[in-house]
Every structure is written in structure tokens, then in C-alpha cells.
Amino acid sequence: GDSVTQMEGPVTLSEEAFLTINCTYTATGYPSLFWYVQYPGEGLQLLLKATKADDKGSNKGFEATYRKETTSFHLEKGSVQVSDSAVYFCALATGGFQKLVFGTGTRLLVSP
Amino acid sequence: GAVVSQHPSRVICKSGTSVKIECRSLDFQATTMFWYRQFPKKSLMLMATSNEGSKATYEQGVEKDKFLINHASLTLSTLTVTSAHPEDSSFYICSATPGTGNQPQHFGDGTRLSIL
């Protein structure tokens, strides 16, 4: 079945450091790919998405490129802030956006 | 836009009681709503998919008699945990998609359920 694998956390960085959170996937067909962010005690917010190969999703300084050849969708940000501390989930959906398959999440901790 | 409201945000109750959680789409009509369960430091597990006016589709291993889902209107779905026990304690999150087509899911803020 479809699956998403994320790097284990926590990822601990100092403010203004470069961030990469790795995400790879296994899917039949051509999935859409997503990054969601969850702040403490809250639900998930869509951070960015890409619907086809070589698409780049971007939002709030974060970006991720849909790499079909490596089945990856790594999340990057050039300079993290303390307010970026949260759990980040990579996810995929096939056949439209109706059914999401999530990775296990990666906690990011940014210190001043 | 695309706001999903979930209520209550936290509930604590005794073992054996039933608990109802509401999920509302505030500014769009949600043909489809989803219910997830999240264990501590784990990912989200899809429990069921509900379409307005029809029975929910439950994922394998989820007890439909335990977790009753109703989607009576295009803006409201409810999850009732019946005869709750401590092992049902968890973080429950709903999401909704607006209308048809490839629309991303929008998530509520979740409900922390604690059964004593």
C-alpha cells in the first residue's frame, strides 16, 4: 500500500539555521504530495503542496520539490525562526485529495 | 477562508460515558469529512470518511459501533465515542473538503479526550 517515510526527530536548530526534513514516499499511480504543520495543541494546517512531478510548493519561506525519480518531497527553509517550532507531517494522496496517508511527523525545535 | 471548527477542544469524563465531538465547516460546504485519531508522538490514523447524507466508511480495525459518525448536513459531522474507556483517550481531529474536485483537506484544531 501507499506509505510515507519521514526522518525521525526531533530536529533541533538554532534560529536562522537552514532546515531540511526528509520525506520519501511509496505509491501506486501519481500521488499529490503535501506538507502539514501542527503547532502544540492544535490541528493540522496545510503548509504547501505539489500535484505533479517537478512542481515546487512554497509558503512562508518553506519549499519542497516533487521529485519523481527519487520519490521524495523534502521540506526546506533557508532561515528558521523560533515560531517555526512545531511538528511537520509529510503526506500523500492519490485519486484526488480524498484520502491522505501521513508520515509519522518530525518535531522541529528552534532555539533563540 | 476554509475554516473548520471542532468542539469541544478538551473533554474529561468518566469511564462508561459517551462523548460527542462536533466538526463544523464555517465558511464552506463540506461534502466529505474525515475523522482521525492521533496517538502521542505518532501520526494521524484515519478512522472513517463520512459523506453528507450517507453512512460513514470506516477503516479496517475501527469499531463502527464504538465510534458513531453522523454527517447530517453539509456543514456538520459528529463523532460519538460510546461507552468510552481509558484506552479511548486520545487526540481526535476532523477535516473537511469543500465541494467536489481536488480540494485539500482543512483540519479542525482537534479534541483532547481523556477518560478517567
Side-chain angles (χ1 to χ4, degrees):
Chain A
D2 298 345
S3 66
V4 175
T5 301
Q6 284 181 242
M7 59 189 293
E8 286 195 27
V11 173
T12 304
L13 295 173
S14 298
E15 204 165 24
E16 300 183 359
F18 183 85
L19 167 71
T20 300
I21 300 179
N22 290 337
C23 171
T24 57
Y25 67 89
T26 302
T28 54
Y30 301 96
S32 295
L33 302 174
F34 308 82
W35 277 99
Y36 282 85
V37 58
Q38 184 180 32
Y39 297 100
E42 299 183 8
L44 275 68
Q45 300 174 27
L46 178 63
L47 182 59
L48 53 85
K49 68 181 190 292
T51 57
K52 62 183 187 297
D54 299 326
D55 268 3
K56 177 184 283 188
S58 61
N59 185 26
K60 300 180 180 180
F62 292 90
E63 59 182 34
T65 301
Y66 189 142
R67 301 288 188 196
K68 184 180 176 184
E69 63 277 12
T70 55
T71 62
S72 64
F73 193 55
H74 305 322
L75 181 68
E76 296 182 336
K77 187 175 185 181
S79 176
V80 294
Q81 305 300 313
V82 173
S83 57
D84 293 327
S85 298
V87 180
Y88 292 82
F89 290 92
C90 185
L92 67 81
T94 55
F97 296 178
Q98 293 297 302
K99 190 167 182 177
L100 288 169
V101 175
F102 286 92
T104 52
T106 301
R107 183 175 299 278
L108 171 65
L109 301 171
V110 181
S111 57
Chain B
V3 177
V4 175
S5 173
Q6 198 171 331
H7 178 80
S9 58
R10 186 178 182 93
V11 59
I12 302 172
C13 60
K14 294 181 179 180
S15 184
T17 59
S18 293
V19 179
K20 180 184 285 188
I21 303 170
E22 293 187 348
C23 180
R24 294 181 184 272
S25 55
L26 298 185
D27 53 1
F28 65 95
Q29 292 187 326
T31 305
T32 306
M33 288 185 168
F34 304 84
W35 288 95
Y36 295 85
R37 182 172 179 177
Q38 185 179 28
F39 294 94
K41 298 184 180 180
K42 298 289 185 183
S43 187
L44 280 73
M45 179 191 78
L46 179 65
M47 299 174 67
T49 303
S50 83
N51 291 295
E52 186 266 337
S54 61
K55 290 185 178 180
T57 301
Y58 289 81
E59 295 298 304
Q60 191 173 10
V62 178
E63 300 176 59
K64 59 182 66 176
D65 294 331
K66 175 74 169 178
F67 300 99
L68 301 179
I69 292 172
N70 182 279
H71 191 167
S73 78
L74 284 171
T75 59
L76 174 65
S77 176
T78 61
L79 166 67
T80 301
V81 183
T82 61
S83 187
H85 289 91
E87 59 265 28
D88 298 323
S89 299
S90 194
F91 194 56
Y92 293 88
I93 305 176
C94 72
S95 71
T97 57
T100 57
N102 290 339
Q103 299 292 325
Q105 294 182 31
H106 299 278
F107 287 79
D109 280 347
T111 297
R112 172 74 60 195
L113 174 62
S114 299
I115 308 299
L116 305 177

